[in-house]
């Protein structure tokens, strides 16, 4: 049974943050709110925890996993950022955007796309996420939390967080509730792996992305 933590969205209790990250460092998997949808996550560098996340989401090892970083400089440790990508990203961070970038050797193989050697990274506009990242000292896996339908496939639309909590409480170790109204909108995905950046998926903040792609 998962431990439930209720955190204030603007001023999360530091003691709870430290308790959560201490568990993450021991291999815990959590269900937590981001600035987009609820996500399933763990410490990027804990192989067994990453494997558990894959099992929960029914993802094969050739499917890359997105992770959260605290800042643009933090991203640069895990991905190769071109000058053009940097100029665009600095206007969008923090925010509801996922950046596809060439991975550095810092990214575990279990997380990146094995064929393309790329990775997906976010810098969330979420105080809870930022406090967790600061306390943990490592990036955090962030894969959207969906429930399987009757055929066992994962739907694209979100579900109420109460249903997520009930369905996943025996599969994760930690559940975080910020008591904020839940959003079902996903992040906008921008591919920076080629010379000309492209939008792979339109989501939250897409209009802002369009503006900066035209300017830069």
């Amino acid at each position: 049974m998962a431990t439930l933590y209720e955190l204030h969205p603007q001023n999360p209790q530091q003691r709870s943050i430290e308790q959560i990250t201490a568990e993450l460092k021991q291999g815990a998997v959590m269900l937590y709110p981001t600035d987009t949808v609820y996500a399933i996550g763990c410490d990027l560098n804990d192989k067994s925890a990453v494997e558990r996340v894959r099992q929960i989401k029914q993802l094969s090892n050739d499917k890359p996993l997105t992770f959260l970083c605290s800042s643009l400089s933090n991203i640069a440790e895990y991905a190769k950022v071109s000058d053009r990508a940097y100029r665009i990203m600095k206007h969008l961070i923090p925010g509801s955007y996922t950046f596809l970038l060439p991975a550095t050797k810092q990214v575990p193989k279990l997380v990146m796309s094995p064929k393309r050697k790329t990775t997906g990274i976010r810098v969330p506009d979420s105080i809870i996420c930022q406090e967790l990242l600061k306390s943990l000292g490592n990036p955090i896996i962030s894969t959207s939390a969906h429930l399987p339908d009757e055929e066992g496939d994962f739907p694209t639309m979100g579900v109420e967080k109460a249903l997520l909590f009930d369905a996943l409480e025996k599969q994760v170790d930690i559940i975080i509730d910020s008591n904020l109204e839940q959003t079902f909108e996903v992040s906008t995905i921008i591919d920076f792996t080629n010379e000309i950046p492209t939008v792979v998926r339109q989501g939250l903040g897409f209009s802002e992305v369009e503006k900066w792609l035209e300017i830069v």
Side-chain angles (χ1 to χ4, degrees):
M1 188 72 70
T3 302
L4 176 65
Y5 291 90
E6 294 187 4
L7 299 183
H8 191 284
Q10 302 301 324
N11 188 26
Q13 302 89 320
Q14 194 59 36
R15 183 179 177 184
S16 294
I17 290 291
E18 291 172 358
Q19 289 174 334
I20 292 168
T21 53
E23 291 185 51
L24 292 177
K25 290 175 182 178
Q26 296 298 317
V29 172
M30 65 178 174
L31 175 65
Y32 67 106
T34 69
D35 53 347
T36 55
V37 298
Y38 258 79
I40 300 170
C42 64
D43 184 335
L44 174 73
N45 294 325
D46 193 300
K47 183 179 179 181
S48 62
V50 173
E51 289 174 342
R52 281 183 60 201
V53 170
R54 287 194 174 279
Q55 290 171 359
I56 293 171
K57 279 293 297 281
Q58 301 176 16
L59 295 174
S60 60
N61 287 349
D62 62 347
K63 299 293 184 182
L65 289 170
T66 297
F67 59 90
L68 307 182
C69 280
S70 59
S71 63
L72 185 49
S73 60
N74 190 206
I75 287 179
E77 297 178 40
Y78 296 91
K80 300 171 185 176
V81 182
S82 68
D83 290 342
R84 185 173 189 179
Y86 178 88
R87 289 195 298 270
I88 295 172
M89 290 163 64
K90 72 178 182 179
H91 293 290
L92 301 176
I93 290 174
S96 53
Y97 309 100
T98 299
F99 309 113
L100 300 183
L101 296 156
T104 67
K105 293 181 179 179
Q106 290 290 97
V107 180
K109 292 182 179 179
L110 192 58
V111 171
M112 73 171 71
S113 172
K115 293 182 180 179
R116 299 183 64 198
K117 305 298 182 185
T118 59
T119 192
I121 304 179
R122 294 196 58 218
V123 177
D125 187 13
S126 161
I127 294 175
I128 288 177
C129 290
Q130 288 290 347
E131 287 297 316
L132 289 170
L133 288 165
K134 178 181 176 182
S135 179
L136 181 65
N138 288 325
I140 295 172
I141 292 294
S142 179
T143 177
S144 56
H146 296 310
L147 300 182
D149 57 24
E150 293 180 356
E151 284 73 40
D153 297 322
F154 283 83
T156 56
M157 294 300 292
V159 295
E160 295 293 338
K161 68 178 181 181
L163 296 177
L164 282 176
F165 290 2
D166 288 344
L168 296 174
E169 66 176 353
K170 293 182 180 179
Q171 298 185 62
V172 300
D173 307 297
I174 298 166
I175 295 177
I176 298 176
D177 188 355
S178 66
N179 294 311
L180 283 179
E181 185 176 345
Q182 183 183 1
T183 176
F184 297 119
E185 293 188 77
V186 294
S187 64
T188 293
I189 301 177
I190 312 162
D191 188 343
F192 285 117
T193 60
N194 299 308
E195 184 177 351
I196 305 299
T198 56
V199 175
V200 177
R201 181 179 72 190
Q202 295 183 21
L204 281 172
F206 173 66
S207 59
E208 190 72 7
V209 172
E210 274 193 312
K211 180 179 75 174
W212 288 110
L213 286 181
E214 292 175 0
I215 294 174
V216 176

